[in-house]
């Protein structure tokens, strides 16, 4: 399986994971001028911006997220919040 399909399958698994835990899926593959956020989910007025990593262990996934990717996600999150005032009261 190629990297793209592996990523798509990992995102589907992540969506199932969040749905089973009663999160609302706000957006998938959310595109901004800063880049893409894989998932935006909410539960109990908490909003989370999720980068999905298909790795064998959680530790590998954590260490595969670069500082540049973290900054891109933060920029995309700010863009989302500025353009979606209905979420301004979320944590």
């Amino acid at each position: 399986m190629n990297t793209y399909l592996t990523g798509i399958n990992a995102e589907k698994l992540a969506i199932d994971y969040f749905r089973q835990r009663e999160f609302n899926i706000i957006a998938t593959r959310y595109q901004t001028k800063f880049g893409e956020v894989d998932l935006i989910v909410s539960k109990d007025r908490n909003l989370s911006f999720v980068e999905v990593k298909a790795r064998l262990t959680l530790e590998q996934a954590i260490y595969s997220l670069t500082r540049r990717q973290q900054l891109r996600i933060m920029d995309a999150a700010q863009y989302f919040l500025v353009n979606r005032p209905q979420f301004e009261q979320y944590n």
Side-chain angles (χ1 to χ4, degrees):
M1 184 179 309
N2 68 36
T3 304
Y4 175 78
L5 291 178
T6 300
I8 295 296
N9 286 334
E11 288 175 15
K12 288 178 183 178
L13 289 171
I15 289 168
D16 289 343
Y17 173 89
F18 284 111
R19 283 191 174 139
Q20 288 173 3
R21 285 153 184 80
E22 300 181 358
F23 281 78
N24 297 311
I25 308 300
I26 304 299
T28 60
R29 308 186 84 209
Y30 179 73
Q31 298 281 330
T32 74
K33 61 185 176 183
F34 305 105
E36 179 182 285
V37 176
D38 293 332
L39 299 173
I40 303 173
V41 300
S42 71
K43 184 175 180 180
D44 301 329
R45 301 196 62 77
N46 292 300
L47 201 57
S48 298
F49 296 83
V50 180
E51 177 71 18
V52 177
K53 295 289 189 180
R55 300 293 189 271
L56 293 177
T57 68
L58 179 58
E59 184 177 24
Q60 289 174 343
I62 291 169
Y63 286 111
S64 71
L65 188 63
T66 67
R67 180 68 178 149
R68 182 175 178 211
Q69 288 172 318
Q70 293 172 27
L71 292 172
R72 175 188 49 79
I73 294 165
M74 288 188 286
D75 287 342
Q78 287 296 326
Y79 182 87
F80 176 87
L81 292 170
V82 165
N83 290 287
R84 303 282 181 97
Q86 67 267 35
F87 293 104
E88 69 182 19
Q89 298 301 317
Y90 282 55
N91 296 314

